[in-house]
Amino acid sequence: METAESSQTIAASFRDPSGFLFRREGHIYRQINTSYKENYDLLINSGLYDNLVNAQLLIPHTEVNINSRLSDEAYKIIAPEVVPFISYPYEWCFSQLQDAALITLEIQKRSLEFGMSLKDCSAYNVQFRKGKPVFIDTLSFENYPQNRPWVAYRQFCQNFLAPLALMSLTDIRLNQLMRIYIDGIPLDLAGGLLPWSSWLKFSLLSHIHLHAKSQAHFADKTVDTHGYELSRLSLLGLIDNLHSAVRKLKWKAKGTEWCDYYNDTNYSEHGLEHKKNIVSEMLKKASPKIVWDLGANLGLFSRIASDRGILTISFDIDPAAVENNYLESVRKKEENILPLLLDLTNPSSGIGWENQERMSLMNRGPADTVLALALIHHLAISNNVSFDRIAQFFSRICNFLIIEFVPKTDSQVRRLLITREDIFSDYSQQAFECHFGKYFRTLDCVRVTDSERFIYLMQKG
């Protein structure tokens, strides 16, 4: 049997007594403990596993040699299909969280048909693979005890319904509360932040407001749930009601600074096409397997990579831009692009127990290639980050860098300087090349037609 020293447990799964994830020689495995034996066998033998996998709702796995186990508690070792990039709910747009909620309810409904139920409804149990949400926690299923309440009901409301309602009815930015409340947004907090009009919506009244009052009422009391019955028909009604509540919530992506960026750009039509061709040629030279597009906006340049079959993480700070990017990817059934929210000046950090349950952006890299187009002036001028710090940061997250230098004479830079003093004496193409030259070597540099902008292909080292 392998020793603990030769394997590395994955911190995100340490809370589950049914088993845990671990990494060995570059591969990810899940140990299933004997305490979960009956539920695992039921999942497989009932046909539920095949049903969910065939519907692309559950990540598939293969069973491997039990000698790979890390402890004597092991019943089975499985090798789940690897999700190539892990993302988190606070990085998702409204429709991504909504789609994740809807597949969770669909999985619960199907589980009941096979005599099982979800015992966990954490949003972190969902990832995006090939453009679609997929459930990744094989150990979240349990035998459905007839006429018992759904144990994961509160967790679903805190992880899905509450944040969706806040994003829809209060402020789209409130999805960032998921960074603070890793187990889901408390319902009393959500209820306090929602507008009074939410009390007039029956689903939000019952699942959030009254649910929160019930939690407060029973917080200091011992409750015997064994005496409380909820028929299977009533449970199905609850799931349908939650499905309707989630589906009815809407958010229209409009009115933000970057949502209409390409309608307010200083590129000529010929210049924009030239820029696309430059990026395309540089991607061909870099030949990446994964690309991070930082400041992707609607994903125009992300798709130059993703259309070639390259997995492309399309980051942007603007919720409206990410929403429209995701909806476009759904409409086109694109499998190689994943739009995500990212504030590059405050990227996702390691959070949870020992700051390790949820990985930082840095720990999910490096990417083979980073696109940093029309970005450098926002970092250097809007956020006062020096060229040296920007270059050092990029050197930590990629091997190849395709970056656009935007000079002070550019209209977009002049716009940034209208309301502030120009203290950026070091902002020049010469200084840019000097500082980036400490971490990268330049392989190519091309001026964009009808502009004063230059695009560089750089390689670390």
Side-chain angles (χ1 to χ4, degrees):
M1 185 173 70
E2 296 279 354
T3 64
E5 286 75 16
S6 61
S7 302
Q8 178 187 6
T9 57
I10 296 175
S13 64
F14 83 96
R15 295 178 187 265
D16 191 351
S18 300
F20 55 87
L21 290 164
F22 64 95
R23 183 179 287 105
R24 175 179 295 159
E25 296 179 352
H27 299 283
I28 292 178
Y29 302 96
R30 185 187 291 271
Q31 176 170 308
I32 299 172
N33 292 334
T34 53
S35 61
Y36 192 71
K37 177 182 182 300
E38 291 184 9
N39 285 317
Y40 176 77
D41 288 345
L42 181 59
L43 171 67
I44 301 300
N45 297 330
S46 68
L48 176 58
Y49 169 82
D50 287 336
N51 180 282
L52 295 177
V53 169
N54 291 337
Q56 298 183 52
L57 296 173
L58 177 67
I59 203 79
H61 70 256
T62 56
E63 295 184 5
V64 299
N65 196 320
I66 191 66
N67 290 332
S68 301
R69 69 188 186 274
L70 292 192
S71 72
D72 292 333
E73 296 178 330
Y75 169 60
K76 297 272 189 180
I77 302 295
I78 62 175
E81 181 180 307
V82 175
V83 175
F85 187 85
I86 299 297
S87 61
Y88 301 122
Y90 43 84
E91 298 170 336
W92 299 345
C93 66
F94 177 85
S95 290
Q96 284 173 311
L97 183 60
Q98 187 177 53
D99 286 349
L102 293 173
I103 73 143
T104 300
L105 291 172
E106 176 63 21
I107 289 170
Q108 170 63 3
K109 196 169 185 177
R110 291 185 182 222
S111 296
L112 291 173
E113 296 175 4
F114 290 85
M116 300 198 80
S117 178
L118 285 175
K119 61 175 180 166
D120 297 307
C121 270
S122 169
Y124 296 99
N125 286 343
V126 179
Q127 287 297 322
F128 283 82
R129 179 195 62 162
K130 297 180 180 179
K132 298 178 181 179
V134 63
F135 202 80
I136 63 168
D137 190 359
T138 313
L139 308 189
S140 284
F141 301 87
E142 66 177 2
N143 177 45
Y144 169 57
Q146 292 291 329
N147 298 326
R148 290 285 300 278
W150 186 22
V151 295
Y153 168 55
R154 181 180 72 174
Q155 194 176 37
F156 179 88
C157 293
Q158 292 183 165
N159 277 261
F160 292 110
L161 185 59
L164 283 168
L166 289 170
M167 293 164 75
S168 172
L169 303 176
T170 305
D171 193 305
I172 190 64
R173 294 168 293 184
L174 289 177
N175 72 322
Q176 294 304 301
L177 287 174
M178 298 288 281
R179 295 177 73 167
I180 302 171
Y181 298 101
I182 195 171
D183 294 322
I185 299 174
L187 297 184
D188 61 335
L189 175 60
L193 292 173
L194 285 169
W196 275 104
S197 60
S198 65
W199 287 78
L200 303 178
K201 299 178 186 293
F202 178 76
S203 57
L204 299 184
L205 172 65
S206 58
H207 298 305
I208 294 182
H209 294 296
L210 297 183
H211 194 167
K213 288 183 178 294
S214 175
Q215 283 182 303
H217 176 73
F218 291 107
D220 57 351
K221 298 177 177 62
T222 301
V223 181
D224 182 13
T225 58
H226 292 275
Y228 180 74
E229 293 190 356
L230 182 72
S231 69
R232 183 178 181 276
L233 186 62
S234 297
L235 179 51
L236 287 170
L238 173 67
I239 295 167
D240 287 341
N241 190 268
L242 286 169
H243 186 280
S244 177
V246 168
R247 177 67 74 183
K248 287 180 180 178
L249 290 170
K250 305 292 182 184
W251 182 70
K252 189 169 180 60
K254 64 178 182 179
T256 55
E257 181 181 4
W258 302 111
C259 188
D260 298 319
Y261 174 77
Y262 292 114
N263 295 324
D264 183 32
T265 181
N266 56 2
Y267 287 114
S268 67
E269 182 177 345
H270 186 48
L272 186 58
E273 286 303 311
H274 185 222
K275 181 176 176 178
K276 292 179 184 178
N277 291 334
I278 295 169
V279 172
S280 179
E281 287 301 312
M282 289 183 174
L283 282 170
K284 190 181 298 184
K285 292 178 182 178
S287 190
K289 292 183 179 178
I290 182 169
V291 166
W292 290 4
D293 186 358
L294 306 179
N297 199 266
L298 302 179
L300 179 65
F301 293 94
S302 297
R303 285 175 171 82
I304 295 175
S306 64
D307 286 348
R308 293 182 175 184
I310 302 168
L311 176 62
T312 305
I313 316 303
S314 192
F315 292 107
D316 201 87
I317 192 174
D318 189 323
V322 177
E323 176 78 6
N324 286 328
N325 193 356
Y326 175 68
L327 292 177
E328 177 75 357
S329 72
V330 172
R331 185 181 70 82
K332 292 183 175 180
K333 298 181 180 180
E334 296 172 318
E335 296 187 353
N336 298 308
I337 186 169
L338 176 59
L340 291 177
L341 280 164
L342 173 69
D343 178 354
L344 200 56
T345 64
N346 184 27
S348 301
S349 58
I351 61 174
W353 184 255
E354 295 183 329
N355 297 120
Q356 293 183 9
E357 282 188 83
R358 310 291 175 248
M359 292 183 289
S360 70
L361 175 70
M362 305 289 284
N363 286 341
R364 285 173 278 171
D368 295 326
T369 299
V370 157
L371 296 181
L373 306 172
L375 179 66
I376 191 76
H377 52 304
H378 293 293
L379 296 176
I381 294 177
S382 298
N383 293 283
N384 289 24
V385 184
S386 69
F387 281 154
D388 190 73
R389 284 185 175 273
I390 297 170
Q392 185 179 26
F393 171 73
F394 284 151
S395 73
R396 295 172 63 190
I397 63 171
C398 68
N399 295 314
F400 287 89
L401 174 64
I402 299 173
I403 186 168
E404 183 175 18
F405 178 76
V406 184
K408 276 189 180 181
T409 52
D410 188 274
S411 63
Q412 296 293 338
V413 178
R414 292 202 305 267
R415 180 183 296 182
L416 295 179
L417 292 171
I418 287 176
T419 58
R420 62 182 307 174
E421 180 184 356
D422 184 357
I423 59 173
F424 308 99
S425 58
D426 197 37
Y427 189 93
S428 68
Q429 188 169 1
Q430 182 180 5
F432 167 82
E433 292 178 350
C434 176
H435 287 290
F436 274 77
K438 299 174 186 176
Y439 307 93
F440 295 91
R441 57 190 180 93
T442 297
L443 303 180
D444 199 1
C445 175
V446 183
R447 181 173 178 168
V448 180
T449 296
D450 297 337
S451 81
E452 297 178 317
R453 298 183 177 198
F454 288 81
I455 298 181
Y456 291 78
L457 172 61
M458 299 179 174
Q459 184 176 13
K460 186 170 68 174

